[in-house]
Amino acid sequence: MFTLEIDGVAIAVINGSEEVARDLFTCDGFKDDIQAMKSEGKVLWNGTSPLKIRPATEEETEIFEDALAEDDSEEDEPFEPDARHAEAASNDDDADEDDADEDDEEEGEDEADIVFLVDIDEDSGLDS
């Protein structure tokens, strides 16, 4: 597992390889989200601070596992993807659908889960 750290604050943990963590934590869509999301009234990322990706600590791993276990035990509404990300993914899929199929077959990767380590303000401006 890997952690995204910004200005010395652990922001999120992902249960993927370092390559997957780098890809997801540094993609334009995620960067847009963390510039819009707030914790205690402050944006998670100012758009200029370095995005540090490092191995997760034991404590961060426990928080991640507890959050997933709690999420699995709750009866939530079905997941609805953010339209902005779904549209971008659709365009990317059309452009290199064959490459994506080959990558999935070669790597055999499942989707990675991301757990935020900071409390996200309800009025962060994202449509969830």
Side-chain angles (χ1 to χ4, degrees), residues 6-122:
I6 302 171
D7 294 331
V9 177
I11 301 295
V13 176
I14 188 169
N15 64 343
S17 67
E18 184 173 7
E19 180 181 358
V20 168
R22 287 195 185 287
D23 286 347
L24 288 176
F25 285 149
T26 61
C27 76
D28 289 339
F30 189 79
K31 287 180 179 178
D32 290 344
D33 287 348
I34 60 176
Q35 285 184 70
M37 297 168 78
K38 295 180 180 181
S39 179
E40 298 179 3
K42 183 180 174 187
V43 294
L44 297 183
W45 184 50
N46 60 16
T48 59
S49 293
L51 301 176
K52 180 180 178 183
I53 297 158
R54 59 165 173 76
T57 65
E58 188 174 319
E59 181 181 354
E60 292 163 348
T61 299
E62 286 179 24
I63 293 168
F64 178 92
E65 291 170 349
D66 290 347
L68 283 191
E70 183 179 316
D71 190 47
D72 286 344
S73 68
E74 294 177 0
E75 293 287 328
D76 290 333
E77 294 179 23
F79 173 75
E80 294 183 29
D82 184 328
R84 295 175 295 170
H85 299 294
E87 183 177 319
S90 174
N91 291 339
D92 290 345
D93 287 346
D94 292 344
D96 34 36
E97 187 174 308
D98 293 332
D99 291 341
D101 290 342
E102 289 173 16
D103 289 345
D104 288 345
E105 289 172 9
E106 290 174 14
E107 296 174 23
E109 290 183 24
D110 292 344
E111 290 185 25
D113 295 302
I114 298 173
V115 171
F116 283 89
L117 300 170
V118 294
D119 291 329
I120 305 299
D121 297 349
E122 292 294 320

